[in-house]
Amino acid sequence: MGSPTPALKPERTAAVADPAVVTWAEAGVSRTAQWRSANGRPAPTRVEVVTDSLTADDANRVASQGIAMLWHGDFHNARQILNALDRRVGAGKKIAGTPAEKFYRHRQSASHRARILGLLLIPLDPGPVVPLRRAPDIREAAAEAYGDIGESSVVSLQELVGAIGAHEWRRKGVYVDALQDRIHPHYGTFFPTRSEYVDLVAAAPLPSDTLAFDVGTGTGVLAAVLARRGVHRVVATDNEPRAVACAAENFRNLGVEDRAEAVLTDMFPPGRAPLIVCNPPWIPATPHSSLDNAVYDPGSRMLFRFLNEVPDHLEPGGEAWLVLSDLAEHLGLRTRDDLLAAIEAAGLKVAERLDTKPTHPKASDRDDPLFEARAAEVTSLWRLVRR
């Protein structure tokens, strides 16, 4: 087991702190280590060393002042402090107001929670290993989240816990009824915990079995469903390298790599197709981290861009399948008229709309601050054709 402190490095003398470096004082000596965040969180500017003597109330008080805490103690004790801190931050009053006001207050609360919990830090030694008592083997999980770590580093314990959980999801996989098989999500790639939108793609009548584009593929689940349905060639695109690698691996695991190809590109691949599928982020709001990008789309930019550009990529007589929840409408963040106007402005019309109700637990959880909107939510597959 290594030292509980990242290795000492020379002090920096630049007037502006390096945003990728964490600095703290220990025994009167200034120390630094590389800051790592898979979610794009900035490095904390104020850091204090804490040990097992820290109480949850003390942690809450320190974090509320914006001070990060670098843990030098037992790993399991750090996890307990994190859980206790979460209970304190998560406790609050019922959210009142309009659906949109509830949504934004809920987002503010979630952002505050993430900021506070992100201030409990853990050192990493090269390997990487956590140089703390009773620390688990995090090498595979850390490699999947952060890549190679060849120098002493500091990470958020909350983020590292998330990386460990994501590694387990990747190892075990997520069973998808429509595939009768498992999808293995990579860290940072949105995966199908909600099955209704996948089931819609599995059931809609195919306009052609020659070629399909899956725009914004993520894990590749929709592309894999199309390939399993008999589409001879599916080009799955994403602008995130993690997603492209994830989709390609899933295609190999599912035995559809001869039909499905993952391509790194922004939106559409070259050429035209008789079927183009897109499941864009459903909520027109600003993401707070890189992991939010699969859910939140400021101003519905991807949605409207897809509608505006898809006619140029459709073969004559082809269909664009837009898979979209109406949750944003129930939250007052986008109207149905906005969506219909965008469809019409793109020179498209609705050939058919297939609807389904969500089955995820939040749709029936009355304690969820957005329960009313979630209970009314409908997920639809819009079959769009040129006017």
Side-chain angles (χ1 to χ4, degrees):
M1 181 181 297
S3 163
T5 306
L8 181 65
K9 294 185 178 180
E11 289 190 49
R12 295 179 178 266
T13 57
V16 179
D18 185 338
V21 169
V22 175
T23 303
W24 70 97
E26 188 173 347
V29 178
S30 179
R31 295 178 178 268
T32 64
Q34 190 75 25
W35 169 250
R36 296 184 182 273
S37 174
N39 296 340
R41 301 277 185 186
T45 56
R46 301 171 62 192
V47 179
E48 293 183 358
V49 173
V50 295
T51 65
D52 293 325
S53 62
L54 183 75
T55 67
D57 287 336
D58 288 339
N60 191 30
R61 176 182 53 79
V62 173
S64 297
Q65 299 174 48
I67 301 172
M69 298 159 283
L70 180 59
W71 190 267
H72 285 182
D74 180 272
F75 182 85
H76 283 254
N77 289 348
R79 287 289 304 267
Q80 290 179 347
I81 288 291
L82 184 68
N83 292 337
L85 190 59
D86 191 13
R87 290 192 295 271
R88 283 161 174 77
V89 177
K93 299 178 180 178
K94 287 280 188 179
I95 300 175
T98 66
E101 289 169 341
K102 289 182 179 180
F103 169 76
Y104 285 117
R105 288 169 183 162
H106 175 61
R107 288 275 285 154
Q108 288 172 351
S109 175
S111 178
H112 173 72
R113 172 183 175 274
R115 182 180 64 82
I116 294 296
L117 297 184
L119 290 174
L120 186 58
L121 312 181
I122 290 291
L124 291 183
D125 279 352
V129 296
V130 177
L132 302 176
R133 297 187 303 277
R134 294 199 293 172
D137 184 344
I138 51 89
R139 285 173 295 179
E140 291 185 0
E144 290 166 4
Y146 304 108
D148 293 334
I149 298 179
E151 57 188 332
S152 297
S153 304
V154 169
V155 299
S156 156
L157 175 58
Q158 174 77 350
E159 187 176 281
L160 182 61
V161 169
I164 293 170
H167 171 67
E168 287 303 302
W169 279 111
R170 178 173 178 176
R171 185 178 64 83
K172 296 177 181 177
V174 180
Y175 188 79
V176 179
D177 287 335
L179 291 170
Q180 294 292 289
D181 215 325
R182 292 182 177 273
I183 287 286
H184 295 266
H186 289 196
Y187 181 86
T189 304
F190 189 74
F191 55 94
T193 54
R194 293 178 55 165
S195 63
E196 65 267 17
Y197 76 96
V198 182
D199 294 338
L200 287 171
V201 172
L206 290 170
S208 169
D209 63 1
T210 59
L211 173 65
F213 296 161
D214 175 23
V215 177
T217 195
T219 61
V221 62
L222 297 185
V225 167
L226 293 173
R228 283 277 181 91
R229 291 191 64 186
V231 177
H232 296 297
R233 181 168 178 251
V234 185
V235 181
T237 72
D238 209 290
N239 61 4
E240 290 288 343
R242 286 180 189 267
V244 172
C246 178
E249 181 180 286
N250 280 315
F251 297 157
R252 291 191 297 271
N253 291 340
L254 294 168
V256 297
E257 71 272 23
D258 59 332
R259 292 174 174 259
E261 173 189 10
V263 176
L264 180 65
T265 191
D266 186 22
M267 297 290 283
F268 300 93
R272 297 172 181 265
L275 174 60
I276 303 178
V277 179
C278 183
N279 172 217
W282 293 349
I283 306 297
T286 302
H288 292 160
S289 73
S290 59
L291 296 184
D292 282 349
N293 289 330
V295 178
Y296 300 101
D297 178 24
S300 300
R301 289 181 300 196
M302 182 179 177
L303 167 62
F304 293 146
R305 181 182 170 190
F306 172 77
L307 292 173
N308 188 52
E309 297 180 11
V310 74
D312 295 334
H313 298 273
L314 275 177
E315 288 184 358
E319 292 185 12
W321 289 1
L322 174 64
V323 185
L324 191 67
S325 159
D326 66 355
L327 182 61
E329 298 174 19
H330 297 293
L331 291 172
L333 306 178
R334 184 178 59 235
T335 68
R336 177 57 57 94
D337 286 343
D338 292 337
L339 177 59
L340 294 176
I343 291 172
E344 183 176 2
L348 298 167
K349 64 180 181 179
V350 181
E352 185 182 19
R353 194 185 77 226
L354 306 175
D355 297 335
T356 186
K357 292 287 291 181
T359 57
H360 60 88
K362 286 187 177 180
S364 57
D365 181 5
R366 293 185 175 274
D367 292 328
D368 187 285
L370 306 179
F371 167 72
E372 292 86 356
R374 296 191 194 280
E377 179 186 6
V378 172
T379 301
S380 302
L381 186 152
W382 299 74
R383 295 177 58 207
L384 306 176
V385 296
R386 284 199 188 93
R387 299 183 68 85

